[in-house]
Amino acid sequence: MTTDQNNHLKNNGLKKFSVKKGLLLATALMLANSQLVYALPISLGTASPDWNPVASDKLVKLPANIIEKRIQKDFQASAMATRMVELDVDMQDNVTVIKSMLQIIPELEGEAAQNKRFELLQYKSEYLDLLQESHGLHQSALEKKQDLYSSVLDKMRLQSGKINNNESYQIQQAQIAARQRMEKVIHQVDQSLMHLGLEKKSPYTDEYSKNLNQIEKLKMAINQHQTNESPQVNGIDISSEEYLRQLLMAVSTEQSLLDQEALMLSYMAKLVALDAQALEYEMAYGDEESSGFITEASKAASVTTLFYQE
Amino acid sequence: MHNLSKIIITLCLLAITMTSVYAKPNPLFTLENLERERAVFLNNLTTTKLTAYQRDQQGNHIIKRLIDMERMVLRDDRISLSNSVMAKKAFQNYELTFLVHASSESKKAPMAHWLHALNITDEKIYKSQSGAR
């Protein structure tokens, strides 16, 4: 055996050793991570890029459909959303590489194929790390949105409760009732004035009726103004409170879908771990075919002719 | 873009200014006017300085003013926002506060309606005695 051959074998051995080590480490990490992802999605989600929304009084005063837009805008400007976009881009790149590798691998053989498969596992592992981080961030964002919508809803209810129990609200209701009572006899009272010989209308009555029509038109324009429109779901006008409840329901839906995705993520991680393990076994013990391969030279019957002369 | 936000801010400020113009210092101004006029109307009934004709003529003019004032009070949103006891009592006692409109419902003259609301009958008046309380 020459020195070159020795070096080559040594190098191969080292390479195989490092690959093995890498695979073992990867397998262990994968298995550990796959458990973690499913068991503790929340603890992983509270990573550094954060978003801390607050249900301020200013926010509560906005129309419900604007509240949603405002929250979304605030979220998009946060470090959390920026990181999520970055992760999306990275994952997209990873997927492209994985797809191209999957096409190349069947064409390769031997060590080149093994190396490529190892590389593929690394990319898959990297992709799963990114997916895990993205999943955590999504989970965290949804939890924060849920908290935010809940506190906005609570504040809204508190305010409407305060208004309903408020003294001035009671007076307002009494005034409305009194006004309605007055409206019923308004013509009767005007006619009674004529009986009293006071036909001439007072400046207040005269001007008031003139202005009243204009006020009604202005009120109608305000009510029909798009900025003043009440929130709609499926084309039906709903109250702000109901709109927020719908938003909370949408968050719950997204959360349950994320839970499903977490399960998928854990299964994908497990598959990568199993692939890594299979590759490790293959490198340690070789293929069954190659291990059972017996050359012609090792068969005594085929070489007997070499030992005698006919 | 910068100009647009400037315009929006200006318009918002204008809206705030308009609202503050609408908010007068005394929210009970119209109600106080009504109470004053109602006192004059009741005084018109009890005063001995007027003849029956004068009482009738003056009473009619006061009723005309009362009609406007009652409507003003009922349409004045500032009153309910004042959160005052006076406003609360005024709406609680519709029959007495909005005398002219309430009397029209009961088809009585305003004065007769007032006496009826307080349960003051001819009989009670005849039985009453004048003196220090």
Side-chain angles (χ1 to χ4, degrees):
Chain A
M1 204 178 272
T2 61
T3 333
D4 280 352
Q5 277 174 324
N6 274 337
N7 283 342
H8 178 70
L9 278 174
K10 262 186 192 172
N11 283 342
N12 251 355
L14 274 173
K15 205 173 176 184
K16 277 196 176 181
F17 178 73
S18 63
V19 166
K20 257 183 177 180
K21 210 174 167 186
L23 281 171
L24 274 170
L25 198 67
T27 313
L29 278 173
M30 297 281 182
L31 282 167
N33 278 354
S34 66
Q35 298 303 316
L36 263 179
V37 166
Y38 196 57
L40 294 166
I42 299 159
S43 63
L44 285 169
T46 51
S48 52
D50 219 350
W51 176 48
N52 295 309
V54 181
S56 62
D57 289 343
K58 208 174 161 186
L59 184 73
V60 176
K61 278 175 192 162
L62 290 170
N65 46 353
I66 304 295
I67 289 176
E68 186 196 3
K69 283 174 189 162
R70 184 72 185 269
I71 291 171
Q72 199 54 33
K73 201 178 170 189
D74 187 59
F75 171 67
Q76 276 163 2
S78 71
M80 189 185 264
T82 314
R83 179 68 191 139
M84 276 156 87
V85 172
E86 282 172 10
L87 286 170
D88 272 350
V89 173
D90 290 350
M91 280 192 291
Q92 192 56 50
D93 291 346
N94 251 316
V95 167
T96 317
V97 174
I98 290 170
K99 275 182 182 170
S100 68
M101 284 177 101
L102 282 171
Q103 281 176 340
I104 294 168
I105 285 172
E107 292 162 14
L108 299 173
E109 280 177 5
E111 204 175 316
Q114 261 182 354
N115 286 340
K116 214 62 179 169
R117 277 168 66 198
F118 176 66
E119 214 179 315
L120 175 69
L121 282 176
Q122 275 184 322
Y123 270 105
K124 277 185 179 177
S125 163
E126 202 177 304
Y127 170 79
L128 287 177
D129 284 345
L130 295 171
L131 188 63
Q132 184 184 329
E133 193 186 339
S134 164
H135 182 270
L137 289 176
H138 272 104
Q139 189 92 358
S140 170
L142 277 179
E143 275 166 20
K144 286 184 176 176
K145 269 186 192 172
Q146 193 177 27
D147 287 349
L148 191 62
Y149 288 146
S150 301
S151 59
V152 169
L153 190 64
D154 287 347
K155 280 194 174 180
M156 250 181 199
R157 281 181 178 158
L158 192 72
Q159 275 186 1
S160 77
K162 265 186 191 167
I163 288 167
N164 289 341
N165 297 323
N166 200 329
E167 195 88 336
S168 64
Y169 177 77
Q170 304 289 339
I171 298 172
Q172 200 179 12
Q173 291 305 303
Q175 189 183 27
I176 289 166
R179 196 183 300 165
Q180 283 169 348
R181 194 171 160 183
M182 180 263 286
E183 300 285 350
K184 283 179 192 166
V185 290
I186 207 159
H187 290 293
Q188 212 172 309
V189 173
D190 286 343
Q191 276 183 343
S192 69
L193 271 180
M194 290 171 84
H195 290 302
L196 291 171
L198 303 163
E199 293 90 356
K200 202 184 167 194
K201 282 185 176 178
S202 69
Y204 173 75
T205 316
D206 216 22
E207 288 293 313
Y208 186 86
S209 56
K210 273 183 200 170
N211 292 340
L212 198 62
N213 281 332
Q214 300 304 321
I215 288 168
E216 285 304 320
K217 281 178 189 168
L218 289 169
K219 267 184 172 177
M220 204 177 283
I222 289 168
N223 289 336
Q224 285 171 352
H225 199 278
Q226 56 172 9
T227 319
N228 206 27
E229 273 177 3
S230 42
Q232 289 188 334
V233 169
N234 299 329
I236 302 162
D237 284 356
I238 53 162
S239 67
S240 295
E241 202 183 307
E242 193 163 341
Y243 190 77
L244 274 165
R245 283 206 307 273
Q246 299 264 5
L247 288 178
L248 278 168
M249 210 183 85
V251 170
S252 298
T253 311
E254 273 186 70
Q255 253 171 352
S256 57
L257 290 174
L258 266 185
D259 286 345
Q260 265 190 324
E261 279 178 24
L263 187 65
M264 283 196 277
L265 179 58
S266 72
Y267 286 161
M268 283 195 282
K270 217 162 216 175
L271 274 173
V272 173
L274 289 171
D275 280 350
Q277 221 167 18
L279 193 60
E280 186 205 341
Y281 290 152
E282 200 180 304
M283 287 170 85
Y285 308 112
D287 283 342
E288 275 180 24
E289 280 177 27
S290 61
S291 63
F293 180 76
I294 299 163
T295 56
E296 286 295 312
S298 62
K299 287 180 183 173
S302 61
V303 291
T304 47
T305 51
L306 297 175
F307 293 89
Y308 63 88
Q309 283 182 339
E310 287 180 36
Chain B
M1 196 67 191
H2 182 68
N3 282 339
L4 184 71
S5 55
K6 215 172 177 181
I7 291 165
I8 291 168
I9 292 165
T10 316
L11 286 172
C12 288
L13 283 172
L14 186 69
I16 294 162
T17 319
M18 294 303 281
T19 320
S20 55
V21 164
Y22 183 69
K24 282 182 182 172
N26 182 10
L28 296 173
F29 183 70
T30 49
L31 184 59
E32 283 170 3
N33 269 349
L34 172 66
E35 295 294 359
R36 208 175 291 119
E37 201 62 28
R38 203 162 59 105
V40 171
F41 179 67
L42 296 175
N43 190 48
N44 186 59
L45 171 79
T46 50
T47 183
T48 51
K49 290 176 186 169
L50 298 171
T51 63
Y53 177 74
Q54 282 173 330
R55 197 188 308 277
D56 198 41
Q57 286 298 304
Q58 276 199 17
N60 286 346
H61 283 287
I62 296 170
I63 286 170
K64 195 180 174 184
R65 284 202 296 273
L66 274 173
I67 291 170
D68 282 347
M69 285 179 183
E70 284 177 13
R71 289 176 188 176
M72 280 180 208
V73 169
L74 287 166
R75 288 161 180 162
D76 192 347
D77 293 331
R78 287 167 298 210
I79 292 173
S80 58
L81 297 173
S82 72
N83 199 13
S84 77
V85 180
M86 187 181 174
K88 198 178 172 184
K89 287 200 168 171
F91 293 116
Q92 270 174 359
N93 299 306
Y94 182 92
E95 302 292 330
L96 296 173
T97 313
F98 307 101
L99 197 56
V100 183
H101 286 86
S103 68
S104 186
E105 278 178 12
S106 62
K107 309 232 185 279
K108 284 189 176 89
M111 206 63 241
H113 180 80
W114 183 75
L115 292 167
H116 177 75
L118 292 172
N119 202 19
I120 302 171
T121 57
D122 289 351
E123 205 179 323
K124 278 184 179 171
I125 293 169
Y126 284 134
K127 278 184 187 172
S128 64
Q129 288 177 337
S130 60
R133 190 179 267 181

